[in-house]
Amino acid sequence: MYPFLKTGAISAAVAVALYATLLGLLTTSTFQAHVVYLHKIQMTWFKDVNVPESFGFLRNQVTPFSIKSADGGALYAWHILPIQLYQQHESNLIAEPSGFVSDIYSRTAFRLLRTDPDACLIIHMHGAAGTVASGYRVPNYRALSAGQPTQVHVLVFDYRGFGHSHGTPSEKGLIMDAISVVEWAMTHAGIPPSRILIFGQSIGTAVALAVSEHFALQSPPVLFAGAVLVAPFADVATLVSTYRIAGTIPIVSPLARLPRIFKYLSTFIHDKWLSKDRIARYIRSNEENGEKYRLTLIHAEDDWDIPWHHTKIIFWSAVNATVAHGISYEELDQKKMESKADLGAAGSVMEWQTGNGIIREEILKTGLHDVVMGNSVVTMAVMRIFGATNATGRRKKSPSPGEAKELPLTPD
C-alpha cells in the first residue's frame, strides 16, 4: 500500500502546485484578460467575416465596415438590414459590390437607415469570445428584427482585441468602444436615442449598462428607447465565485468557501464590471431626473455559464434604486410571490413599474446561455420596448407618477 500512498501524495502535491500556479497567473492582467474576454477564440470555423453570405445572409443584407473608437482604433462592425426592407430594395442592394466597405456612407443600406424617419436601430454588444459572426449571434440578429422586419436595423461590432478590431480588451477600453459606436449611430447615422435600443448578452450586458449609465449621466441626460440584457451578471467577483466550466468544473469557486482568502484574491481583479452598482446609479439618476426608461432582463434557469440568480441580484439592485427608503431582497422576493406571472414551462415574469420606468425580469425554464438569444422571447422584448414609442420616436403616455410598485401583467 505504501507505494500507492506515495504516488497519491505526489499526485496531490502536483495538483496543488498546478492550481496555485493557475491562481498566480490569474492575478496578472494579461492572463486575466484572456480568461475574462477569451478574445483570441474566434469560433467562426475558418469562414471569412467579410463574406456574411457564408453565415446565411442574403447578398449585401449585411454591410461589413469599421467605426473609429475614441482613441483612434478601428472597430470592425456589421450593419444588418431587416429582411422585409431588404426585399423592398433587393435589386439595388445586389447590384452593389459585396464585402468589406471602406465608405459605408455611399451604400444603399446606410441610406435606408439614415433617411427613414421611422427606422429603429439595435446596437448589439456581444459576450466573451468569438466575433460578430460566432455561435448563436447570427440567429440572435434575426430574432432582434423579426418583430418589425421593415424598421429594425441591427448594428453589431467587435470590441478591441476581438476579430479584426485592433487593440487589447479591458473594461475601460470596451466601454470606450461601445460609447464610440453609439455616438457614431447618433451623429453619422442620424438616429435619435429614442429610436435606439441597447442589447447586451453575457459580458455585453455589463458593457450595455456602462454605456446606458454614461449617457444617462450627461447634461442633459441622453436616454435610449430601452435596453434588453440577456444573461447578465452582478459583478466579476460574484461571477468567479460561482463560475464552473460547462457547469461542472470549478476554477475559483472552491475558494469562495474561504472568505478571507477569496476576499484577498478579489483585490487582484483588474476589470471588476460592477453591473449591480451601475444599474442602481442608472435607475436612480433617471428617477431623480424624471426620465423615462425601459429595461428588460432575461435569463434561463439552465444557464451553465452564468447562474440565473445573477439576474435576481441585478433586478433587486434596479428595483431598490426606485424606492426612497430601499427594499430588502427578502421583501422583493415576497412581492414576487404575490405578483409575478407564472407562465408554466415558459418560466415567469415580474414587472416593476414607476411613474418613470418599467423594469421587467423574465426567468425562463430553458434557453441555456446562448441559445435563448435566437428565441421569440427576445423578439417580444424588442417589440415591447419599441412599441412604447410612436413612429416619430416620442414615447407614449406614461402611467401617472407615484410610488414604485409592482403591477399585474396585462397583455401587450
Side-chain angles (χ1 to χ4, degrees):
M1 290 292 293
Y2 178 76
F4 293 102
L5 291 174
K6 184 177 180 180
T7 301
I10 292 173
S11 299
V14 170
V16 170
L18 289 174
Y19 187 63
T21 301
L22 173 63
L23 292 178
L25 288 171
L26 285 172
T27 63
T28 65
S29 59
T30 301
F31 190 80
Q32 197 175 115
H34 281 279
V35 171
V36 171
Y37 300 111
L38 302 172
H39 52 290
K40 293 302 181 183
I41 302 175
Q42 299 293 305
M43 298 195 304
T44 46
W45 316 123
F46 309 107
K47 292 181 180 179
D48 186 353
V49 293
N50 285 324
V51 186
E53 292 81 0
S54 65
F55 297 94
F57 291 103
L58 299 167
R59 177 180 170 86
N60 288 333
Q61 184 185 0
V62 175
T63 306
F65 71 110
S66 64
I67 297 172
K68 275 195 175 182
S69 189
D71 59 0
L75 303 173
Y76 185 83
W78 276 3
H79 167 215
I80 306 167
L81 281 176
I83 188 64
Q84 193 171 338
L85 183 64
Y86 177 92
Q87 185 269 333
Q88 293 170 357
H89 300 272
E90 183 178 12
S91 58
N92 289 334
L93 289 162
I94 63 177
E96 295 179 333
S98 61
F100 184 84
V101 173
S102 57
D103 179 18
I104 191 174
Y105 306 108
S106 64
R107 304 289 289 201
T108 297
F110 177 79
R111 291 197 295 271
L112 290 173
L113 171 65
R114 183 175 175 82
T115 60
D116 182 358
D118 295 332
C120 297
L121 180 65
I122 296 176
I123 301 181
H124 185 288
M125 299 171 191
H126 66 63
T131 69
V132 292
S134 299
Y136 290 95
R137 289 168 191 163
V138 169
N140 180 211
Y141 308 149
R142 297 190 179 105
L144 290 171
S145 63
Q148 295 170 293
T150 62
Q151 289 182 280
V152 178
H153 300 241
V154 178
L155 175 61
V156 58
F157 65 100
D158 280 331
Y159 315 109
R160 62 185 62 203
F162 287 72
H164 291 308
S165 295
H166 305 300
T168 302
S170 66
E171 181 172 2
K172 180 180 178 181
L174 265 63
I175 294 172
M176 181 187 297
D177 293 344
I179 290 172
S180 298
V181 170
V182 172
E183 289 179 339
W184 179 89
M186 293 190 294
T187 56
H188 293 272
I191 307 299
S194 60
R195 288 195 272 127
I196 292 175
L197 184 151
I198 305 296
F199 178 92
Q201 188 263 345
S202 193
I203 202 165
T205 63
V207 182
L209 282 172
V211 169
S212 297
E213 180 197 16
H214 168 84
F215 283 99
L217 296 180
Q218 300 299 301
S219 182
V222 177
L223 272 295
F224 304 105
V228 176
L229 308 178
V230 177
F233 59 93
D235 52 54
V236 170
T238 305
L239 180 59
V240 299
S241 72
T242 59
Y243 183 74
R244 293 170 178 263
I245 299 173
T248 57
I249 305 172
I251 298 181
V252 182
S253 56
L255 296 177
R257 301 174 183 176
L258 306 170
R260 290 186 179 180
I261 295 177
F262 185 78
K263 184 177 181 180
Y264 171 72
L265 289 175
S266 295
T267 63
F268 290 96
I269 295 175
H270 295 275
D271 293 349
K272 301 183 185 303
W273 291 110
L274 304 174
S275 289
K276 69 178 187 297
D277 298 328
R278 280 197 169 110
I279 198 170
R281 291 194 296 267
Y282 167 75
I283 297 293
R284 192 172 295 115
S285 172
N286 293 338
E287 290 290 334
E288 291 173 354
N289 294 327
E291 297 289 343
K292 306 301 180 186
Y293 62 91
R294 294 179 70 92
L295 182 64
T296 298
L297 311 173
I298 300 172
H299 216 137
E301 290 182 5
D302 62 353
D303 187 334
W304 289 351
D305 295 285
I306 300 177
W308 68 277
H309 72 257
H310 280 266
T311 283
K312 292 181 66 177
I313 297 171
I314 292 285
F315 184 69
W316 170 79
S317 297
V319 169
N320 185 56
T322 70
V323 181
H325 301 292
I327 182 172
S328 72
Y329 201 86
E330 294 72 23
E331 287 173 328
L332 181 56
D333 264 352
Q334 182 58 42
K335 289 184 180 293
K336 284 184 182 181
M337 293 296 292
E338 298 168 356
S339 304
K340 72 178 180 182
D342 186 346
L343 305 179
S348 65
V349 177
M350 173 71 180
E351 255 189 22
W352 187 274
Q353 188 163 334
T354 77
N356 297 307
I358 297 175
I359 308 164
R360 184 180 176 95
E361 177 194 64
E362 301 196 36
I363 304 299
L364 314 177
K365 292 294 183 182
T366 59
L368 300 174
H369 186 63
D370 297 312
V371 176
V372 61
M373 293 193 294
N375 292 353
S376 298
V377 64
V378 169
T379 304
M380 282 295 293
V382 171
M383 293 173 67
R384 208 173 275 114
I385 288 176
F386 279 139
T389 61
N390 59 27
T392 63
R394 293 175 299 189
R395 291 191 178 277
K396 293 179 181 178
K397 185 178 179 181
S398 300
S400 300
E403 184 178 347
K405 60 181 180 180
E406 71 283 0
L407 297 179
L409 294 169
T410 56
D412 289 329

